[in-house]
Structure formats: structure tokens, C-alpha cells
Amino acid sequence: MTRTYQDLFVNNKKWVQEVTEQKPDFFNKLSAGQQPKFLWIGCSDSRVPAEKLTGALPGELFVHRNIANVVIHSDMSMLSVLDYAVNVLEVEHIIVCGHYGCGGVAVAMGNKQVGLIDNWLRYIKDVYRLHQDELNAIDDYHKKLDRLVELNIQEQVYGLTTTSIVQNAWSQGKPLEVHGMVYDLKTGLLNDLHISRTDSSVIDNVYRLEPEYV
Ligand SMILES: [Zn+2]
């Protein structure tokens, strides 16, 4: 258990000991550099730890997390992570992972003011508006929330494909796939939404960018 600040250091030492017993050169090797194949964009929620639930080891996932896993085109933090992952690390897969029962998505679906975060979550209200016919037809609150969680992933995946970073990678012939999935807190299982994108054919014309260098 991790209850106190000091627990973090006690647990850290235990972890180093366990890892080093199994692989004595683990930290030496890792300190030489990283070559992750995956960029993970997920929710900040403490119950959705990217490495744990995928069995990934240190060095295997490049991670960006924010509340309700939103891809916002003016978010310099997300854009910097995306640009570095695609153009420097040359990851081959970008994953946007949401989770059922997401508190951020629930706030966006409601009408209560929570504070500053309302501005961040406003983008999820746009997702609701885009899909309001389908969502308004669902009576059960939890089913509606879970569907909005899925649609939010769908729209964030779409948003990623419209970035200049992803479009340029594709026009340069880089092998880059963008995936959407949802984590189920109740079962621990990942649900692949089968909306993986491998080229710019799915992008509506208005978002299309001509190749950067012609
Ligand atoms: Zn969440």
C-alpha cells in the first residue's frame, strides 16, 4: 500500500531491488535511451495506469495524460508530446484510451459548474452536440455516459488524424497508426473500438493539408 509520502521511497527501493535481481543490467540499459513504439494518450484518473494495465515495461510507452483524454489543437503540451513522439522517437502507434465512468466526461455531460475545468471539458460538450441524436435516444444515464466516453475517443482519434503532425507523417510515408480504446474499470479489460486509422483517407476535405514540402 502507498499511504504516506515516505511509502513512495520505501516502495521505490523494493522495486529497484526486485527488478535488479531479475535483470541486473536493466537500469544501465534503459539509461542509454528510449525507443518506444507507442504513444499513449489517456485520462489522468489514478485508476487507469497505462503501463500496468498493458503490461508495458519502462521504455515501452511514451505517455501523455490529461483529464478526459482530450486532444486539443491549441494545447502546447499535447502537441509537443505528439510532435516529439512522431518525429523524434518515431513511434508507430498512437493510442487514445478513455475509460468507462470517466468523471470528466460525466461533468461535461451535465450542467453543473465545477470551476476552471469546465473550460477544458467544453470540448466534450462539442462531442455530445455532434452526436446528440444518438445520445439523446439513450435513457439510462450510465449507458449514455459510457457511449459518450466511446464517442469522445472516436472524436479524439479523428482530431489526431487532422493534426499537421499526423498528416505530414502519413504524407512522408511513415508507418503510423492511430487507435482508440476504452478501459473498463469494473473488469480491468481494454475494449478496442476498432477505429484504427492508417492513412488520411478518413479526413474530411476541409481539414486536409497539402504536403508540407512539395
Ligand atoms: Zn477519466
Side-chain angles (χ1 to χ4, degrees), residues 38-43 48-51 53-54 61-65 81 93-98 181 183 190:
F38 301 90
L39 165 60
W40 173 281
I41 300 175
C43 184
V48 194
E51 286 91 350
L53 66 95
T54 56
L61 294 185
F62 198 60
V63 174
H64 178 77
R65 291 169 70 177
V81 168
H93 302 271
I94 304 173
I95 293 159
V96 192
C97 181
M181 57 180 73
Y183 178 70
L190 283 171

mmCIF file with all atom_site columns, all heavy atoms in Angstrom, residues 38-43 48-51 53-54 61-65 81 93-98 181 183 190:
data_model
loop_
_atom_site.group_PDB
_atom_site.id
_atom_site.type_symbol
_atom_site.label_atom_id
_atom_site.label_alt_id
_atom_site.label_comp_id
_atom_site.label_asym_id
_atom_site.label_entity_id
_atom_site.label_seq_id
_atom_site.pdbx_PDB_ins_code
_atom_site.Cartn_x
_atom_site.Cartn_y
_atom_site.Cartn_z
_atom_site.occupancy
_atom_site.B_iso_or_equiv
_atom_site.pdbx_formal_charge
_atom_site.auth_seq_id
_atom_site.auth_comp_id
_atom_site.auth_asym_id
_atom_site.auth_atom_id
_atom_site.pdbx_PDB_model_num
ATOM 1   N N   . PHE A 1 38  ? 5.058   3.069  -28.874 1.00 0.00 ? 38  PHE A N   1
ATOM 2   C CA  . PHE A 1 38  ? 3.696   3.542  -28.627 1.00 0.00 ? 38  PHE A CA  1
ATOM 3   C C   . PHE A 1 38  ? 3.664   4.914  -27.952 1.00 0.00 ? 38  PHE A C   1
ATOM 4   O O   . PHE A 1 38  ? 4.430   5.159  -27.017 1.00 0.00 ? 38  PHE A O   1
ATOM 5   C CB  . PHE A 1 38  ? 2.955   2.570  -27.696 1.00 0.00 ? 38  PHE A CB  1
ATOM 6   C CG  . PHE A 1 38  ? 2.856   1.169  -28.225 1.00 0.00 ? 38  PHE A CG  1
ATOM 7   C CD1 . PHE A 1 38  ? 3.849   0.243  -27.945 1.00 0.00 ? 38  PHE A CD1 1
ATOM 8   C CD2 . PHE A 1 38  ? 1.775   0.782  -29.004 1.00 0.00 ? 38  PHE A CD2 1
ATOM 9   C CE1 . PHE A 1 38  ? 3.762   -1.057 -28.428 1.00 0.00 ? 38  PHE A CE1 1
ATOM 10  C CE2 . PHE A 1 38  ? 1.676   -0.511 -29.490 1.00 0.00 ? 38  PHE A CE2 1
ATOM 11  C CZ  . PHE A 1 38  ? 2.665   -1.434 -29.206 1.00 0.00 ? 38  PHE A CZ  1
ATOM 12  N N   . LEU A 1 39  ? 2.771   5.763  -28.436 1.00 0.00 ? 39  LEU A N   1
ATOM 13  C CA  . LEU A 1 39  ? 2.398   6.967  -27.681 1.00 0.00 ? 39  LEU A CA  1
ATOM 14  C C   . LEU A 1 39  ? 1.022   6.695  -27.105 1.00 0.00 ? 39  LEU A C   1
ATOM 15  O O   . LEU A 1 39  ? 0.098   6.328  -27.835 1.00 0.00 ? 39  LEU A O   1
ATOM 16  C CB  . LEU A 1 39  ? 2.340   8.206  -28.600 1.00 0.00 ? 39  LEU A CB  1
ATOM 17  C CG  . LEU A 1 39  ? 1.613   9.433  -28.006 1.00 0.00 ? 39  LEU A CG  1
ATOM 18  C CD1 . LEU A 1 39  ? 2.269   9.927  -26.721 1.00 0.00 ? 39  LEU A CD1 1
ATOM 19  C CD2 . LEU A 1 39  ? 1.575   10.573 -29.042 1.00 0.00 ? 39  LEU A CD2 1
ATOM 20  N N   . TRP A 1 40  ? 0.891   6.874  -25.799 1.00 0.00 ? 40  TRP A N   1
ATOM 21  C CA  . TRP A 1 40  ? -0.358  6.631  -25.094 1.00 0.00 ? 40  TRP A CA  1
ATOM 22  C C   . TRP A 1 40  ? -0.939  7.961  -24.644 1.00 0.00 ? 40  TRP A C   1
ATOM 23  O O   . TRP A 1 40  ? -0.275  8.727  -23.954 1.00 0.00 ? 40  TRP A O   1
ATOM 24  C CB  . TRP A 1 40  ? -0.082  5.748  -23.868 1.00 0.00 ? 40  TRP A CB  1
ATOM 25  C CG  . TRP A 1 40  ? -1.229  5.522  -22.935 1.00 0.00 ? 40  TRP A CG  1
ATOM 26  C CD1 . TRP A 1 40  ? -1.704  6.362  -21.977 1.00 0.00 ? 40  TRP A CD1 1
ATOM 27  C CD2 . TRP A 1 40  ? -2.044  4.340  -22.859 1.00 0.00 ? 40  TRP A CD2 1
ATOM 28  N NE1 . TRP A 1 40  ? -2.753  5.779  -21.311 1.00 0.00 ? 40  TRP A NE1 1
ATOM 29  C CE2 . TRP A 1 40  ? -2.980  4.544  -21.835 1.00 0.00 ? 40  TRP A CE2 1
ATOM 30  C CE3 . TRP A 1 40  ? -2.059  3.134  -23.570 1.00 0.00 ? 40  TRP A CE3 1
ATOM 31  C CZ2 . TRP A 1 40  ? -3.933  3.580  -21.495 1.00 0.00 ? 40  TRP A CZ2 1
ATOM 32  C CZ3 . TRP A 1 40  ? -3.002  2.178  -23.226 1.00 0.00 ? 40  TRP A CZ3 1
ATOM 33  C CH2 . TRP A 1 40  ? -3.922  2.403  -22.209 1.00 0.00 ? 40  TRP A CH2 1
ATOM 34  N N   . ILE A 1 41  ? -2.149  8.280  -25.081 1.00 0.00 ? 41  ILE A N   1
ATOM 35  C CA  . ILE A 1 41  ? -2.837  9.482  -24.605 1.00 0.00 ? 41  ILE A CA  1
ATOM 36  C C   . ILE A 1 41  ? -4.028  8.997  -23.791 1.00 0.00 ? 41  ILE A C   1
ATOM 37  O O   . ILE A 1 41  ? -4.957  8.393  -24.334 1.00 0.00 ? 41  ILE A O   1
ATOM 38  C CB  . ILE A 1 41  ? -3.280  10.374 -25.781 1.00 0.00 ? 41  ILE A CB  1
ATOM 39  C CG1 . ILE A 1 41  ? -2.057  10.821 -26.596 1.00 0.00 ? 41  ILE A CG1 1
ATOM 40  C CG2 . ILE A 1 41  ? -4.064  11.588 -25.267 1.00 0.00 ? 41  ILE A CG2 1
ATOM 41  C CD1 . ILE A 1 41  ? -2.392  11.622 -27.848 1.00 0.00 ? 41  ILE A CD1 1
ATOM 42  N N   . GLY A 1 42  ? -3.973  9.216  -22.486 1.00 0.00 ? 42  GLY A N   1
ATOM 43  C CA  . GLY A 1 42  ? -5.012  8.669  -21.618 1.00 0.00 ? 42  GLY A CA  1
ATOM 44  C C   . GLY A 1 42  ? -5.513  9.683  -20.613 1.00 0.00 ? 42  GLY A C   1
ATOM 45  O O   . GLY A 1 42  ? -5.065  10.828 -20.577 1.00 0.00 ? 42  GLY A O   1
ATOM 46  N N   . CYS A 1 43  ? -6.454  9.247  -19.778 1.00 0.00 ? 43  CYS A N   1
ATOM 47  C CA  . CYS A 1 43  ? -7.019  10.118 -18.738 1.00 0.00 ? 43  CYS A CA  1
ATOM 48  C C   . CYS A 1 43  ? -6.072  10.150 -17.534 1.00 0.00 ? 43  CYS A C   1
ATOM 49  O O   . CYS A 1 43  ? -5.357  9.194  -17.255 1.00 0.00 ? 43  CYS A O   1
ATOM 50  C CB  . CYS A 1 43  ? -8.385  9.592  -18.304 1.00 0.00 ? 43  CYS A CB  1
ATOM 51  S SG  . CYS A 1 43  ? -9.213  10.672 -17.110 1.00 0.00 ? 43  CYS A SG  1
ATOM 52  N N   . VAL A 1 48  ? -6.333  4.347  -13.926 1.00 0.00 ? 48  VAL A N   1
ATOM 53  C CA  . VAL A 1 48  ? -6.035  3.894  -15.291 1.00 0.00 ? 48  VAL A CA  1
ATOM 54  C C   . VAL A 1 48  ? -4.536  4.031  -15.592 1.00 0.00 ? 48  VAL A C   1
ATOM 55  O O   . VAL A 1 48  ? -4.123  4.884  -16.379 1.00 0.00 ? 48  VAL A O   1
ATOM 56  C CB  . VAL A 1 48  ? -6.876  4.690  -16.321 1.00 0.00 ? 48  VAL A CB  1
ATOM 57  C CG1 . VAL A 1 48  ? -6.830  3.995  -17.687 1.00 0.00 ? 48  VAL A CG1 1
ATOM 58  C CG2 . VAL A 1 48  ? -8.317  4.849  -15.868 1.00 0.00 ? 48  VAL A CG2 1
ATOM 59  N N   . PRO A 1 49  ? -3.718  3.200  -14.932 1.00 0.00 ? 49  PRO A N   1
ATOM 60  C CA  . PRO A 1 49  ? -2.267  3.303  -15.127 1.00 0.00 ? 49  PRO A CA  1
ATOM 61  C C   . PRO A 1 49  ? -1.833  2.602  -16.416 1.00 0.00 ? 49  PRO A C   1
ATOM 62  O O   . PRO A 1 49  ? -1.902  1.378  -16.528 1.00 0.00 ? 49  PRO A O   1
ATOM 63  C CB  . PRO A 1 49  ? -1.700  2.570  -13.899 1.00 0.00 ? 49  PRO A CB  1
ATOM 64  C CG  . PRO A 1 49  ? -2.771  1.589  -13.524 1.00 0.00 ? 49  PRO A CG  1
ATOM 65  C CD  . PRO A 1 49  ? -4.086  2.118  -14.025 1.00 0.00 ? 49  PRO A CD  1
ATOM 66  N N   . ALA A 1 50  ? -1.378  3.388  -17.374 1.00 0.00 ? 50  ALA A N   1
ATOM 67  C CA  . ALA A 1 50  ? -1.106  2.877  -18.720 1.00 0.00 ? 50  ALA A CA  1
ATOM 68  C C   . ALA A 1 50  ? -0.185  1.647  -18.722 1.00 0.00 ? 50  ALA A C   1
ATOM 69  O O   . ALA A 1 50  ? -0.516  0.610  -19.315 1.00 0.00 ? 50  ALA A O   1
ATOM 70  C CB  . ALA A 1 50  ? -0.489  3.987  -19.567 1.00 0.00 ? 50  ALA A CB  1
ATOM 71  N N   . GLU A 1 51  ? 0.964   1.736  -18.060 1.00 0.00 ? 51  GLU A N   1
ATOM 72  C CA  . GLU A 1 51  ? 1.936   0.633  -18.116 1.00 0.00 ? 51  GLU A CA  1
ATOM 73  C C   . GLU A 1 51  ? 1.401   -0.617 -17.433 1.00 0.00 ? 51  GLU A C   1
ATOM 74  O O   . GLU A 1 51  ? 1.553   -1.723 -17.936 1.00 0.00 ? 51  GLU A O   1
ATOM 75  C CB  . GLU A 1 51  ? 3.265   1.034  -17.449 1.00 0.00 ? 51  GLU A CB  1
ATOM 76  C CG  . GLU A 1 51  ? 4.099   2.006  -18.269 1.00 0.00 ? 51  GLU A CG  1
ATOM 77  C CD  . GLU A 1 51  ? 3.790   3.454  -17.945 1.00 0.00 ? 51  GLU A CD  1
ATOM 78  O OE1 . GLU A 1 51  ? 2.790   3.716  -17.225 1.00 0.00 ? 51  GLU A OE1 1
ATOM 79  O OE2 . GLU A 1 51  ? 4.533   4.331  -18.416 1.00 0.00 ? 51  GLU A OE2 1
ATOM 80  N N   . LEU A 1 53  ? -1.707  -1.679 -16.883 1.00 0.00 ? 53  LEU A N   1
ATOM 81  C CA  . LEU A 1 53  ? -2.817  -2.417 -17.497 1.00 0.00 ? 53  LEU A CA  1
ATOM 82  C C   . LEU A 1 53  ? -2.464  -2.978 -18.871 1.00 0.00 ? 53  LEU A C   1
ATOM 83  O O   . LEU A 1 53  ? -3.190  -3.829 -19.391 1.00 0.00 ? 53  LEU A O   1
ATOM 84  C CB  . LEU A 1 53  ? -4.087  -1.550 -17.551 1.00 0.00 ? 53  LEU A CB  1
ATOM 85  C CG  . LEU A 1 53  ? -4.114  -0.320 -18.430 1.00 0.00 ? 53  LEU A CG  1
ATOM 86  C CD1 . LEU A 1 53  ? -4.728  -0.637 -19.786 1.00 0.00 ? 53  LEU A CD1 1
ATOM 87  C CD2 . LEU A 1 53  ? -4.938  0.764  -17.747 1.00 0.00 ? 53  LEU A CD2 1
ATOM 88  N N   . THR A 1 54  ? -1.339  -2.551 -19.439 1.00 0.00 ? 54  THR A N   1
ATOM 89  C CA  . THR A 1 54  ? -0.916  -3.118 -20.722 1.00 0.00 ? 54  THR A CA  1
ATOM 90  C C   . THR A 1 54  ? 0.286   -4.049 -20.551 1.00 0.00 ? 54  THR A C   1
ATOM 91  O O   . THR A 1 54  ? 0.736   -4.650 -21.521 1.00 0.00 ? 54  THR A O   1
ATOM 92  C CB  . THR A 1 54  ? -0.500  -2.006 -21.707 1.00 0.00 ? 54  THR A CB  1
ATOM 93  O OG1 . THR A 1 54  ? 0.518   -1.211 -21.102 1.00 0.00 ? 54  THR A OG1 1
ATOM 94  C CG2 . THR A 1 54  ? -1.674  -1.134 -22.093 1.00 0.00 ? 54  THR A CG2 1
ATOM 95  N N   . LEU A 1 61  ? 6.340   2.698  -23.412 1.00 0.00 ? 61  LEU A N   1
ATOM 96  C CA  . LEU A 1 61  ? 5.231   3.617  -23.715 1.00 0.00 ? 61  LEU A CA  1
ATOM 97  C C   . LEU A 1 61  ? 5.689   5.051  -23.501 1.00 0.00 ? 61  LEU A C   1
ATOM 98  O O   . LEU A 1 61  ? 6.268   5.370  -22.457 1.00 0.00 ? 61  LEU A O   1
ATOM 99  C CB  . LEU A 1 61  ? 4.030   3.389  -22.776 1.00 0.00 ? 61  LEU A CB  1
ATOM 100 C CG  . LEU A 1 61  ? 3.235   2.097  -22.803 1.00 0.00 ? 61  LEU A CG  1
ATOM 101 C CD1 . LEU A 1 61  ? 2.049   2.232  -21.839 1.00 0.00 ? 61  LEU A CD1 1
ATOM 102 C CD2 . LEU A 1 61  ? 2.733   1.776  -24.197 1.00 0.00 ? 61  LEU A CD2 1
ATOM 103 N N   . PHE A 1 62  ? 5.418   5.919  -24.455 1.00 0.00 ? 62  PHE A N   1
ATOM 104 C CA  . PHE A 1 62  ? 5.602   7.357  -24.267 1.00 0.00 ? 62  PHE A CA  1
ATOM 105 C C   . PHE A 1 62  ? 4.205   7.854  -23.881 1.00 0.00 ? 62  PHE A C   1
ATOM 106 O O   . PHE A 1 62  ? 3.235   7.570  -24.592 1.00 0.00 ? 62  PHE A O   1
ATOM 107 C CB  . PHE A 1 62  ? 6.063   7.992  -25.579 1.00 0.00 ? 62  PHE A CB  1
ATOM 108 C CG  . PHE A 1 62  ? 6.684   9.350  -25.414 1.00 0.00 ? 62  PHE A CG  1
ATOM 109 C CD1 . PHE A 1 62  ? 7.810   9.528  -24.632 1.00 0.00 ? 62  PHE A CD1 1
ATOM 110 C CD2 . PHE A 1 62  ? 6.152   10.455 -26.064 1.00 0.00 ? 62  PHE A CD2 1
ATOM 111 C CE1 . PHE A 1 62  ? 8.396   10.785 -24.484 1.00 0.00 ? 62  PHE A CE1 1
ATOM 112 C CE2 . PHE A 1 62  ? 6.730   11.713 -25.922 1.00 0.00 ? 62  PHE A CE2 1
ATOM 113 C CZ  . PHE A 1 62  ? 7.858   11.873 -25.132 1.00 0.00 ? 62  PHE A CZ  1
ATOM 114 N N   . VAL A 1 63  ? 4.096   8.565  -22.753 1.00 0.00 ? 63  VAL A N   1
ATOM 115 C CA  . VAL A 1 63  ? 2.762   8.787  -22.182 1.00 0.00 ? 63  VAL A CA  1
ATOM 116 C C   . VAL A 1 63  ? 2.397   10.262 -22.036 1.00 0.00 ? 63  VAL A C   1
ATOM 117 O O   . VAL A 1 63  ? 3.218   11.072 -21.605 1.00 0.00 ? 63  VAL A O   1
ATOM 118 C CB  . VAL A 1 63  ? 2.666   8.102  -20.795 1.00 0.00 ? 63  VAL A CB  1
ATOM 119 C CG1 . VAL A 1 63  ? 1.346   8.434  -20.116 1.00 0.00 ? 63  VAL A CG1 1
ATOM 120 C CG2 . VAL A 1 63  ? 2.817   6.595  -20.930 1.00 0.00 ? 63  VAL A CG2 1
ATOM 121 N N   . HIS A 1 64  ? 1.180   10.574 -22.428 1.00 0.00 ? 64  HIS A N   1
ATOM 122 C CA  . HIS A 1 64  ? 0.604   11.891 -22.147 1.00 0.00 ? 64  HIS A CA  1
ATOM 123 C C   . HIS A 1 64  ? -0.770  11.661 -21.539 1.00 0.00 ? 64  HIS A C   1
ATOM 124 O O   . HIS A 1 64  ? -1.581  10.931 -22.102 1.00 0.00 ? 64  HIS A O   1
ATOM 125 C CB  . HIS A 1 64  ? 0.461   12.699 -23.440 1.00 0.00 ? 64  HIS A CB  1
ATOM 126 C CG  . HIS A 1 64  ? -0.172  14.046 -23.249 1.00 0.00 ? 64  HIS A CG  1
ATOM 127 N ND1 . HIS A 1 64  ? 0.514   15.121 -22.732 1.00 0.00 ? 64  HIS A ND1 1
ATOM 128 C CD2 . HIS A 1 64  ? -1.436  14.479 -23.470 1.00 0.00 ? 64  HIS A CD2 1
ATOM 129 C CE1 . HIS A 1 64  ? -0.302  16.174 -22.661 1.00 0.00 ? 64  HIS A CE1 1
ATOM 130 N NE2 . HIS A 1 64  ? -1.480  15.809 -23.101 1.00 0.00 ? 64  HIS A NE2 1
ATOM 131 N N   . ARG A 1 65  ? -1.007  12.269 -20.378 1.00 0.00 ? 65  ARG A N   1
ATOM 132 C CA  . ARG A 1 65  ? -2.327  12.095 -19.763 1.00 0.00 ? 65  ARG A CA  1
ATOM 133 C C   . ARG A 1 65  ? -2.899  13.455 -19.407 1.00 0.00 ? 65  ARG A C   1
ATOM 134 O O   . ARG A 1 65  ? -2.176  14.346 -18.960 1.00 0.00 ? 65  ARG A O   1
ATOM 135 C CB  . ARG A 1 65  ? -2.220  11.212 -18.507 1.00 0.00 ? 65  ARG A CB  1
ATOM 136 C CG  . ARG A 1 65  ? -1.891  9.764  -18.866 1.00 0.00 ? 65  ARG A CG  1
ATOM 137 C CD  . ARG A 1 65  ? -1.506  8.921  -17.667 1.00 0.00 ? 65  ARG A CD  1
ATOM 138 N NE  . ARG A 1 65  ? -2.609  8.631  -16.768 1.00 0.00 ? 65  ARG A NE  1
ATOM 139 C CZ  . ARG A 1 65  ? -2.500  7.856  -15.689 1.00 0.00 ? 65  ARG A CZ  1
ATOM 140 N NH1 . ARG A 1 65  ? -1.342  7.303  -15.379 1.00 0.00 ? 65  ARG A NH1 1
ATOM 141 N NH2 . ARG A 1 65  ? -3.543  7.634  -14.917 1.00 0.00 ? 65  ARG A NH2 1
ATOM 142 N N   . VAL A 1 81  ? 4.270   16.768 -27.105 1.00 0.00 ? 81  VAL A N   1
ATOM 143 C CA  . VAL A 1 81  ? 4.406   15.323 -26.899 1.00 0.00 ? 81  VAL A CA  1
ATOM 144 C C   . VAL A 1 81  ? 4.191   14.589 -28.220 1.00 0.00 ? 81  VAL A C   1
ATOM 145 O O   . VAL A 1 81  ? 4.959   13.704 -28.596 1.00 0.00 ? 81  VAL A O   1
ATOM 146 C CB  . VAL A 1 81  ? 3.384   14.826 -25.841 1.00 0.00 ? 81  VAL A CB  1
ATOM 147 C CG1 . VAL A 1 81  ? 3.312   13.305 -25.834 1.00 0.00 ? 81  VAL A CG1 1
ATOM 148 C CG2 . VAL A 1 81  ? 3.765   15.337 -24.461 1.00 0.00 ? 81  VAL A CG2 1
ATOM 149 N N   . HIS A 1 93  ? 2.606   3.650  -33.247 1.00 0.00 ? 93  HIS A N   1
ATOM 150 C CA  . HIS A 1 93  ? 1.208   3.584  -32.837 1.00 0.00 ? 93  HIS A CA  1
ATOM 151 C C   . HIS A 1 93  ? 0.899   4.725  -31.863 1.00 0.00 ? 93  HIS A C   1
ATOM 152 O O   . HIS A 1 93  ? 1.669   4.956  -30.932 1.00 0.00 ? 93  HIS A O   1
ATOM 153 C CB  . HIS A 1 93  ? 0.898   2.262  -32.122 1.00 0.00 ? 93  HIS A CB  1
ATOM 154 C CG  . HIS A 1 93  ? 1.205   1.062  -32.957 1.00 0.00 ? 93  HIS A CG  1
ATOM 155 N ND1 . HIS A 1 93  ? 0.284   0.502  -33.805 1.00 0.00 ? 93  HIS A ND1 1
ATOM 156 C CD2 . HIS A 1 93  ? 2.339   0.328  -33.073 1.00 0.00 ? 93  HIS A CD2 1
ATOM 157 C CE1 . HIS A 1 93  ? 0.841   -0.546 -34.416 1.00 0.00 ? 93  HIS A CE1 1
ATOM 158 N NE2 . HIS A 1 93  ? 2.081   -0.663 -33.996 1.00 0.00 ? 93  HIS A NE2 1
ATOM 159 N N   . ILE A 1 94  ? -0.219  5.393  -32.121 1.00 0.00 ? 94  ILE A N   1
ATOM 160 C CA  . ILE A 1 94  ? -0.721  6.360  -31.144 1.00 0.00 ? 94  ILE A CA  1
ATOM 161 C C   . ILE A 1 94  ? -2.035  5.802  -30.620 1.00 0.00 ? 94  ILE A C   1
ATOM 162 O O   . ILE A 1 94  ? -2.931  5.451  -31.409 1.00 0.00 ? 94  ILE A O   1
ATOM 163 C CB  . ILE A 1 94  ? -0.976  7.746  -31.769 1.00 0.00 ? 94  ILE A CB  1
ATOM 164 C CG1 . ILE A 1 94  ? 0.295   8.276  -32.440 1.00 0.00 ? 94  ILE A CG1 1
ATOM 165 C CG2 . ILE A 1 94  ? -1.479  8.725  -30.715 1.00 0.00 ? 94  ILE A CG2 1
ATOM 166 C CD1 . ILE A 1 94  ? 0.066   9.567  -33.233 1.00 0.00 ? 94  ILE A CD1 1
ATOM 167 N N   . ILE A 1 95  ? -2.143  5.705  -29.306 1.00 0.00 ? 95  ILE A N   1
ATOM 168 C CA  . ILE A 1 95  ? -3.357  5.158  -28.697 1.00 0.00 ? 95  ILE A CA  1
ATOM 169 C C   . ILE A 1 95  ? -4.048  6.254  -27.905 1.00 0.00 ? 95  ILE A C   1
ATOM 170 O O   . ILE A 1 95  ? -3.404  6.932  -27.096 1.00 0.00 ? 95  ILE A O   1
ATOM 171 C CB  . ILE A 1 95  ? -2.985  4.010  -27.729 1.00 0.00 ? 95  ILE A CB  1
ATOM 172 C CG1 . ILE A 1 95  ? -2.429  2.825  -28.519 1.00 0.00 ? 95  ILE A CG1 1
ATOM 173 C CG2 . ILE A 1 95  ? -4.191  3.603  -26.877 1.00 0.00 ? 95  ILE A CG2 1
ATOM 174 C CD1 . ILE A 1 95  ? -1.598  1.897  -27.674 1.00 0.00 ? 95  ILE A CD1 1
ATOM 175 N N   . VAL A 1 96  ? -5.352  6.451  -28.155 1.00 0.00 ? 96  VAL A N   1
ATOM 176 C CA  . VAL A 1 96  ? -6.128  7.288  -27.263 1.00 0.00 ? 96  VAL A CA  1
ATOM 177 C C   . VAL A 1 96  ? -6.986  6.330  -26.453 1.00 0.00 ? 96  VAL A C   1
ATOM 178 O O   . VAL A 1 96  ? -7.763  5.555  -27.009 1.00 0.00 ? 96  VAL A O   1
ATOM 179 C CB  . VAL A 1 96  ? -7.043  8.290  -27.995 1.00 0.00 ? 96  VAL A CB  1
ATOM 180 C CG1 . VAL A 1 96  ? -7.596  9.311  -26.997 1.00 0.00 ? 96  VAL A CG1 1
ATOM 181 C CG2 . VAL A 1 96  ? -6.304  9.007  -29.103 1.00 0.00 ? 96  VAL A CG2 1
ATOM 182 N N   . CYS A 1 97  ? -6.790  6.354  -25.139 1.00 0.00 ? 97  CYS A N   1
ATOM 183 C CA  . CYS A 1 97  ? -7.518  5.419  -24.277 1.00 0.00 ? 97  CYS A CA  1
ATOM 184 C C   . CYS A 1 97  ? -8.374  6.177  -23.273 1.00 0.00 ? 97  CYS A C   1
ATOM 185 O O   . CYS A 1 97  ? -7.868  6.955  -22.472 1.00 0.00 ? 97  CYS A O   1
ATOM 186 C CB  . CYS A 1 97  ? -6.546  4.503  -23.541 1.00 0.00 ? 97  CYS A CB  1
ATOM 187 S SG  . CYS A 1 97  ? -7.387  3.312  -22.482 1.00 0.00 ? 97  CYS A SG  1
ATOM 188 N N   . GLY A 1 98  ? -9.676  5.956  -23.339 1.00 0.00 ? 98  GLY A N   1
ATOM 189 C CA  . GLY A 1 98  ? -10.588 6.523  -22.346 1.00 0.00 ? 98  GLY A CA  1
ATOM 190 C C   . GLY A 1 98  ? -10.950 5.451  -21.339 1.00 0.00 ? 98  GLY A C   1
ATOM 191 O O   . GLY A 1 98  ? -10.406 4.354  -21.360 1.00 0.00 ? 98  GLY A O   1
ATOM 192 N N   . MET A 1 181 ? -9.342  3.166  -27.839 1.00 0.00 ? 181 MET A N   1
ATOM 193 C CA  . MET A 1 181 ? -9.800  2.078  -26.968 1.00 0.00 ? 181 MET A CA  1
ATOM 194 C C   . MET A 1 181 ? -10.349 2.641  -25.667 1.00 0.00 ? 181 MET A C   1
ATOM 195 O O   . MET A 1 181 ? -10.100 3.800  -25.319 1.00 0.00 ? 181 MET A O   1
ATOM 196 C CB  . MET A 1 181 ? -8.659  1.091  -26.685 1.00 0.00 ? 181 MET A CB  1
ATOM 197 C CG  . MET A 1 181 ? -7.444  1.711  -26.070 1.00 0.00 ? 181 MET A CG  1
ATOM 198 S SD  . MET A 1 181 ? -6.111  0.515  -25.750 1.00 0.00 ? 181 MET A SD  1
ATOM 199 C CE  . MET A 1 181 ? -5.485  0.181  -27.383 1.00 0.00 ? 181 MET A CE  1
ATOM 200 N N   . TYR A 1 183 ? -10.972 1.625  -21.475 1.00 0.00 ? 183 TYR A N   1
ATOM 201 C CA  . TYR A 1 183 ? -10.664 0.726  -20.358 1.00 0.00 ? 183 TYR A CA  1
ATOM 202 C C   . TYR A 1 183 ? -11.889 0.593  -19.464 1.00 0.00 ? 183 TYR A C   1
ATOM 203 O O   . TYR A 1 183 ? -12.549 1.596  -19.154 1.00 0.00 ? 183 TYR A O   1
ATOM 204 C CB  . TYR A 1 183 ? -9.492  1.310  -19.562 1.00 0.00 ? 183 TYR A CB  1
ATOM 205 C CG  . TYR A 1 183 ? -9.089  0.528  -18.346 1.00 0.00 ? 183 TYR A CG  1
ATOM 206 C CD1 . TYR A 1 183 ? -8.477  -0.721 -18.455 1.00 0.00 ? 183 TYR A CD1 1
ATOM 207 C CD2 . TYR A 1 183 ? -9.295  1.041  -17.067 1.00 0.00 ? 183 TYR A CD2 1
ATOM 208 C CE1 . TYR A 1 183 ? -8.091  -1.434 -17.336 1.00 0.00 ? 183 TYR A CE1 1
ATOM 209 C CE2 . TYR A 1 183 ? -8.911  0.331  -15.938 1.00 0.00 ? 183 TYR A CE2 1
ATOM 210 C CZ  . TYR A 1 183 ? -8.315  -0.904 -16.079 1.00 0.00 ? 183 TYR A CZ  1
ATOM 211 O OH  . TYR A 1 183 ? -7.933  -1.606 -14.968 1.00 0.00 ? 183 TYR A OH  1
ATOM 212 N N   . LEU A 1 190 ? -9.467  -3.954 -21.621 1.00 0.00 ? 190 LEU A N   1
ATOM 213 C CA  . LEU A 1 190 ? -9.460  -2.905 -22.641 1.00 0.00 ? 190 LEU A CA  1
ATOM 214 C C   . LEU A 1 190 ? -10.438 -3.285 -23.750 1.00 0.00 ? 190 LEU A C   1
ATOM 215 O O   . LEU A 1 190 ? -10.448 -4.427 -24.211 1.00 0.00 ? 190 LEU A O   1
ATOM 216 C CB  . LEU A 1 190 ? -8.067  -2.767 -23.256 1.00 0.00 ? 190 LEU A CB  1
ATOM 217 C CG  . LEU A 1 190 ? -7.000  -2.045 -22.437 1.00 0.00 ? 190 LEU A CG  1
ATOM 218 C CD1 . LEU A 1 190 ? -5.645  -2.199 -23.114 1.00 0.00 ? 190 LEU A CD1 1
ATOM 219 C CD2 . LEU A 1 190 ? -7.352  -0.568 -22.273 1.00 0.00 ? 190 LEU A CD2 1
#
